[in-house]
Amino acid sequence: MYCKIGILIVSFVNSLNFKTYLFVQHLQSCNPTSVSLLQIHQNRAQISVSRLLIYHSHIMVMDALPDALVQYILSYLQNAKDIARCTCVSKQWKESMPFIRSLYFSRSTFENKRTNRDAIIGRMVTSAVCLEELIVYCPFSPPSHESWILSKSSSLRHLDLRVDSLNENRVPLGGPVRLDCIGSARVLETLKLWGVAMDQSPNWGLFERLHSLEIIGLVSDDHVILSALKACPNLSSLILLGCEGVRSMSIELQHLEQCRLDFWLGDCSLTLSSPKLKVLDVLGCTWICVKDDHSLQSLTIGNNAGQVCKVDVRKLAAVDFLSLSGRQWCWSAVSSILHSASEVKHLVMKIEFCGDFNQLHCFPKIDLFEFFNNHPKLRFFEIHGAMFAALCTKNSSKQQDSRFTIPCLEEVLIKVRSPMNAEQKVRALETIVKHSTKLRNMVIRVTGMNCYHKNFDNFFKEICNFRCMNHEIVRIE
């Protein structure tokens, strides 16, 4: 029996995480002759035992350790399969299972489809005395999750449920899922839901400790989502991805620092008021308004399904990272953001067209000298397609050529699709290389270009000559 226990210890030790180094030292002092090699790697304030070798017929037996120490070791198990196997090792191990603090059910936990998953999950959840984290990715029947949450409402701090109430076409399966039971877990700190369809406002009450809310794949409407957010006034992180049915949202969260929103149809309007907001990532909005009282350091705006008509973010003096992408933007929205973000260090511009409503227009010419003078701290610059073609040197700017400099630029990534205006594009590239004192790397990425175009050969002749003249810096992909 001890032999089997010793072998199981070696097989399971890779999955055991220990929070303190003092505990590992205590483990060695219990039976020092049985341990030949113990390598400790620290990862996020946790120390994991990576290898344990047993020799001289001395076997480290968990039965020799105090019960409290065995319970402490096994309490760091998380995977449901590992926990189930441990219950078969010995009576002492089985009696330690109620001290598990985290349960994780992966998609492949139940390989046999005939297994009564709901009963097994419920039995393991209820057996844990003080369960703090519950992650369920395997399929389950929606009503069963209510009993799990209610049974551990006083201790549950982290909840992650893959509800999967939507099919491939984002149509609810079997009707919307009721999530009112989550409101009983008053000490929740993080909540993550997958594939949720809600047609009624959840009766959650008030989550005073909840600081992170993440919903991936949500079919609902404006008032349902807003009522859910009102139950979480102290959120510091909000992530809503793949939201469908939303037309207008007004978010007011005083402690929000990170916000990531993705709206499915691309025609949503957003108003955001959060004085501590540092990171904002919005996809699928037509109208965006961020109140003056914000602390934005990273701003990402995109719309691949529609157009961006107006963006009102006012001051962007503290923004280091700025990314603008999408199929169509109004030029007034682009220019206002670029004008506000004068201190940006990392800039990504991936916009295909500009224009109002359904009218697609080419970008107006952008003075290269004026652009870089307005963004003196720019270090990384990425620009795509038509926007790069618009970045040209105007005749009126040539007088400033001798005094012009780009002081901080280090990396440039340019994506080219059209072989037209080769000389103009190469001239802009030469200007960037010539006046960038710290430039280390320039990548010219050619993609989707028609090789039968009449200007194709001329483009590559020009671009290859430019690369040969600056081979230490320039690379063509």
Side-chain angles (χ1 to χ4, degrees):
M1 181 62 181
Y2 287 152
C3 240
K4 293 181 179 179
I5 296 174
I7 294 172
L8 281 170
I9 294 172
V10 177
S11 64
F12 287 136
V13 73
N14 286 328
S15 64
L16 300 179
N17 292 323
F18 307 98
K19 284 190 175 179
T20 61
Y21 179 69
L22 294 176
F23 166 71
V24 180
Q25 288 181 326
H26 179 72
L27 180 63
Q28 289 178 294
S29 63
C30 292
N31 195 347
T33 61
S34 65
V35 181
S36 65
L37 180 61
L38 188 64
Q39 296 178 339
I40 302 171
H41 300 278
Q42 187 173 1
N43 181 17
R44 295 182 181 179
Q46 292 185 348
I47 297 180
S48 60
V49 177
S50 65
R51 195 176 178 188
L52 183 63
L53 300 179
I54 302 174
Y55 73 106
H56 293 315
S57 70
H58 294 284
I59 299 176
M60 180 180 178
V61 181
M62 293 282 280
D63 289 344
L65 299 177
D67 291 344
L69 197 55
V70 174
Q71 294 168 3
Y72 183 83
I73 296 171
L74 297 180
S75 68
Y76 283 94
L77 282 173
Q78 186 183 39
N79 190 286
K81 282 187 176 181
D82 293 342
I83 295 172
R85 289 166 182 162
C86 285
T87 58
C88 302
V89 174
S90 67
K91 181 180 179 181
Q92 185 188 31
W93 283 34
K94 185 176 182 179
E95 293 176 350
S96 300
M97 291 303 102
F99 297 93
I100 294 294
R101 291 180 289 182
S102 177
L103 272 175
Y104 169 60
F105 297 88
S106 66
R107 294 286 287 181
S108 59
T109 297
F110 301 100
E111 298 176 356
N112 188 352
K113 295 183 178 180
R114 296 182 179 180
T115 305
N116 191 346
R117 303 167 183 171
D118 298 343
I120 295 175
I121 296 175
R123 187 161 56 247
M124 296 186 72
V125 169
T126 54
S127 65
V129 176
C130 188
L131 189 65
E132 298 180 359
E133 182 179 27
L134 176 61
I135 304 173
V136 183
Y137 289 163
C138 63
F140 63 89
S141 301
S144 60
H145 70 281
E146 298 180 4
S147 59
W148 310 338
I149 298 173
L150 290 173
S151 64
K152 299 302 166 189
S153 59
S154 60
S155 62
L156 199 60
R157 295 191 296 115
H158 308 283
L159 179 61
D160 189 344
L161 290 180
R162 194 179 187 103
V163 181
D164 278 346
S165 60
L166 305 175
N167 62 13
E168 296 179 355
N169 297 322
R170 302 179 61 83
V171 176
L173 297 173
V177 178
R178 300 299 299 170
L179 299 172
D180 294 346
C181 59
I182 298 178
S184 62
R186 293 299 181 188
V187 295
L188 268 184
E189 297 177 6
T190 63
L191 174 60
K192 187 174 183 179
L193 303 173
W194 302 69
V196 180
M198 294 191 298
D199 63 345
Q200 296 181 11
S201 301
N203 186 16
W204 284 351
L206 189 64
F207 289 118
E208 295 184 354
R209 299 187 182 183
L210 191 68
H211 60 77
S212 177
L213 174 62
E214 184 172 352
I215 304 179
I216 302 173
L218 174 63
V219 175
S220 186
D221 54 27
D222 306 347
H223 77 276
V224 173
I225 297 178
L226 292 177
S227 65
L229 294 180
K230 287 181 180 179
C232 316
N234 299 319
L235 285 179
S236 61
S237 176
L238 173 63
I239 300 177
L240 303 176
L241 303 181
C243 297
E244 185 174 349
V246 180
R247 291 293 179 265
S248 177
M249 284 196 68
S250 180
I251 301 175
E252 295 184 9
L253 294 170
Q254 298 301 311
H255 302 282
L256 189 64
E257 297 181 1
Q258 178 183 359
C259 183
R260 187 181 178 192
L261 306 173
D262 176 12
F263 301 103
W264 192 260
L265 298 179
D267 58 352
C268 178
S269 62
L270 172 67
T271 302
L272 189 61
S273 177
S274 300
K276 296 183 179 180
L277 188 64
K278 295 180 180 179
V279 179
L280 177 60
D281 187 342
V282 181
L283 181 64
C285 273
T286 301
W287 303 81
I288 301 173
C289 179
V290 182
K291 299 295 180 64
D292 282 337
D293 52 346
H294 63 74
S295 305
L296 276 175
Q297 299 176 1
S298 175
L299 176 61
T300 302
I301 301 176
N303 194 342
N304 297 324
Q307 59 180 328
V308 179
C309 295
K310 184 178 180 181
V311 178
D312 184 6
V313 289
R314 308 292 174 87
K315 58 179 183 178
L316 292 174
V319 169
D320 291 333
F321 178 88
L322 175 62
S323 176
L324 309 178
S325 63
R327 183 174 181 270
Q328 180 183 354
W329 279 59
C330 291
W331 180 247
S332 59
V334 178
S335 59
S336 65
I337 294 177
L338 293 178
H339 179 73
S340 301
S342 58
E343 305 294 318
V344 66
K345 298 177 181 178
H346 189 131
L347 177 60
V348 179
M349 301 174 70
K350 299 187 291 184
I351 303 174
E352 298 183 16
F353 302 99
C354 72
D356 299 328
F357 301 104
N358 295 327
Q359 298 295 325
L360 299 179
H361 302 288
C362 296
F363 289 95
K365 290 185 177 181
I366 305 171
D367 191 308
L368 184 144
F369 296 96
E370 183 181 349
F371 175 82
F372 283 104
N373 281 331
N374 292 336
H375 304 89
K377 296 184 179 180
L378 193 61
R379 294 182 180 179
F380 179 89
F381 182 43
E382 179 179 348
I383 187 168
H384 289 212
M387 288 206 72
F388 170 64
L391 194 67
C392 63
T393 54
K394 292 181 179 179
N395 295 330
S396 60
S397 302
K398 290 186 177 179
Q399 299 175 359
Q400 306 175 12
D401 200 6
S402 59
R403 297 174 295 171
F404 175 69
T405 181
I406 306 176
C408 300
L409 191 63
E410 298 178 2
E411 296 185 38
V412 178
L413 172 59
I414 299 172
K415 190 173 181 179
V416 184
R417 294 181 179 179
S418 173
M420 297 179 63
N421 302 320
E423 294 182 1
Q424 175 184 321
K425 293 175 181 177
V426 171
R427 187 165 61 247
L429 295 175
E430 289 175 346
T431 303
I432 295 174
V433 172
K434 178 181 178 181
H435 297 282
S436 299
T437 57
K438 296 183 179 180
L439 188 62
R440 297 183 289 104
N441 187 23
M442 174 182 282
V443 178
I444 303 171
R445 185 169 297 165
V446 182
T447 177
M449 186 175 292
N450 183 7
C451 62
Y452 297 104
H453 196 282
K454 61 180 182 179
N455 295 325
F456 181 82
D457 293 337
N458 182 51
F459 171 80
F460 270 95
K461 180 181 177 180
E462 294 285 346
I463 209 73
C464 289
N465 288 337
F466 169 74
R467 193 264 175 193
C468 291
M469 295 295 294
N470 305 277
H471 61 89
E472 294 181 356
I473 298 177
V474 179
R475 186 173 77 252
I476 299 176
E477 295 180 355

